[in-house]
Amino acid sequence: MSSQMDVAIAIKELRRSFGDVKAVDGVNLDIYDGEFFAMLGPSGSGKTTVLRLIAGFEIPDSGSITIDGVDVSNVPPFNRDVNTVFQDYALFPHMTVQKNVEYGLRVKGVGKAEREERAKRALEKVKLAGYENRKPSQLSGGQRQRVALARAIVNEPKVLLLDEPLGALDLKLRHEMQKELKDLQKSLGITFIFVTHDQEEALTMADRIAVFSEGNIVQVGSPRSVYENPANEFVAGFVGISNLIHRDGSVFSIRPEKIFIGAARDRAVEGFIRQLQFVGSTTRIEIELANGDRLTLLKGNDGSSDVGLEVGSHLQISWDSKSEIQVA
């Protein structure tokens, strides 16, 4: 993302504490207009608090939040040009799908005919045309999530905030919704800010990722740059599977797919197999080296020989030195 792009949200020196806990500790961040931005981190890292601060559900202790050039740090949620989709969807069980989607427009005083038409268009965008008269209890989890999305986008917000909205879905449906969310964001052209602790979701959907740890951001970049060039040991270990190699007082990161069986590359070592895990298309192999480092590599289950792949047996592996990234 170029710095020449319009900034949708500018966060400056944002801080929020709860008692002695510094939930957000001096966060600075620009999010650009029309991008799909992911906030990624473990529980308690500060990502959800930042989202709530953007939404207006929390007020910062200090710092500022600017949306489309307007400082909204102390503006109530209903006066901010954002909408939020929660993990539990927060649908009204007694209302039909149509009435749920219309609700925000009705609160704003939009006339009946206009809000019915806008709700209908929003439901078409999330592929729920024909479901207008159903109740939430008559829908699947994925359909309820789409209703929550329709209710959020019907207001045509500048920014859509998504607080782990796929967390309640099963794995197959979650993968389907990842693609649908990305396609919806592209078609709408509005800024999506997506909070998740799931690295795969962030890597799959986001244009850029901010990795959070202990109330601050430790790295911001494209999914590829965060994955292939982690800024430090924490990012290397948290984003995907990473191997940490200790050598000459330094720590290097290398991804499992960069390690190969045999000595064909310029870094070759030998260790014994501690664990073999069959994971469908690949087998995950954990090797322990003489210095105690444990490395994981992936071997494709393509029918090639598995001779010698037994727990406790020795195995020679290698990788290209250019694949190593120094993280400490």
Side-chain angles (χ1 to χ4, degrees):
M1 288 287 171
S2 166
S3 60
Q4 299 301 309
M5 296 186 66
D6 292 333
V7 175
I9 295 181
I11 296 172
K12 305 296 183 187
E13 290 297 318
L14 195 64
R15 288 180 167 82
R16 181 71 170 101
S17 294
F18 301 98
D20 295 332
V21 178
K22 294 181 179 179
V24 179
D25 191 17
V27 165
N28 291 280
L29 179 65
D30 285 345
I31 299 173
Y32 299 114
D33 191 33
E35 76 171 325
F36 198 124
F37 192 89
M39 295 181 177
L40 174 66
S43 297
S45 61
K47 61 188 187 300
T48 299
T49 302
V50 169
L51 191 83
R52 290 179 60 82
L53 286 162
I54 295 171
F57 303 138
E58 301 284 349
I59 300 299
D61 297 327
S62 62
S64 65
I65 301 168
T66 301
I67 299 178
D68 204 20
V70 177
D71 190 336
V72 298
S73 307
N74 294 290
V75 173
F78 52 83
N79 283 335
R80 300 189 185 195
D81 197 7
V82 302
N83 269 96
T84 305
V85 178
F86 300 100
Q87 182 175 340
D88 63 2
Y89 314 139
L91 302 178
F92 297 112
H94 64 288
M95 291 184 182
T96 64
V97 166
Q98 175 81 18
K99 295 300 182 184
N100 263 285
V101 176
E102 288 182 26
Y103 181 77
L105 298 176
R106 184 158 63 87
V107 170
K108 290 183 176 181
V110 176
K112 185 174 186 292
E114 181 182 348
R115 68 174 184 256
E116 286 180 351
E117 178 58 29
R118 286 172 63 176
K120 182 179 178 182
R121 289 201 305 268
L123 286 168
E124 288 173 353
K125 287 177 181 175
V126 298
K127 303 177 183 177
L128 281 181
Y131 287 76
E132 292 85 354
N133 294 319
R134 297 194 189 186
K135 297 286 183 66
S137 62
Q138 298 173 301
L139 304 177
S140 68
Q143 289 167 341
R144 288 195 294 273
Q145 201 247 22
R146 289 188 180 95
V147 176
L149 283 168
R151 187 176 60 183
I153 65 175
V154 76
N155 290 303
E156 301 174 353
K158 176 74 176 178
V159 177
L160 185 63
L161 308 174
L162 302 111
D163 186 9
E164 305 208 37
L166 308 183
L169 305 180
D170 62 53
L171 182 62
K172 185 175 185 295
L173 184 55
R174 192 158 69 241
H175 287 166
E176 292 173 359
M177 288 306 301
Q178 287 172 6
K179 182 180 184 303
E180 290 191 19
L181 266 181
K182 184 64 176 176
D183 290 344
L184 179 63
Q185 189 267 337
K186 284 184 177 178
S187 68
L188 294 173
I190 65 177
T191 305
F192 275 32
I193 303 177
F194 188 95
V195 163
T196 182
H197 64 272
D198 187 310
Q199 301 92 329
E200 182 182 326
E201 282 186 358
L203 293 170
T204 299
M205 294 190 292
D207 298 315
R208 287 192 304 148
I209 298 171
V211 183
F212 280 72
S213 177
E214 298 181 348
N216 218 319
I217 295 173
V218 291
Q219 186 170 0
V220 179
S222 69
R224 182 176 294 276
S225 67
V226 170
Y227 181 81
E228 296 190 345
N229 297 285
N232 56 32
E233 191 171 338
F234 171 80
V235 177
F238 185 75
V239 181
I241 300 172
S242 185
N243 296 297
L244 298 178
I245 303 166
H246 297 80
R247 188 174 61 243
D248 301 327
S250 299
V251 182
F252 299 84
S253 168
I254 186 165
R255 298 295 184 182
E257 65 272 18
K258 306 288 187 182
I259 302 176
F260 304 90
I261 296 174
R265 273 71 179 179
D266 64 340
R267 296 274 198 224
V269 296
E270 187 174 291
F272 72 91
I273 299 176
R274 288 192 58 91
Q275 191 174 56
L276 294 169
Q277 289 182 310
F278 176 79
V279 287
S281 61
T282 61
T283 294
R284 189 176 295 148
I285 306 170
E286 183 182 293
I287 305 288
E288 183 168 327
L289 308 183
N291 69 352
D293 283 345
R294 295 185 184 183
L295 306 184
T296 297
L297 65 147
L298 302 175
K299 178 188 177 298
N301 293 327
D302 54 4
S304 59
S305 175
D306 287 339
V307 173
L309 295 184
E310 297 177 356
V311 173
S313 63
H314 281 72
L315 188 67
Q316 191 171 46
I317 58 175
S318 64
W319 60 88
D320 294 321
S321 55
K322 65 183 180 182
S323 298
E324 300 174 354
I325 301 295
Q326 186 171 352
V327 293

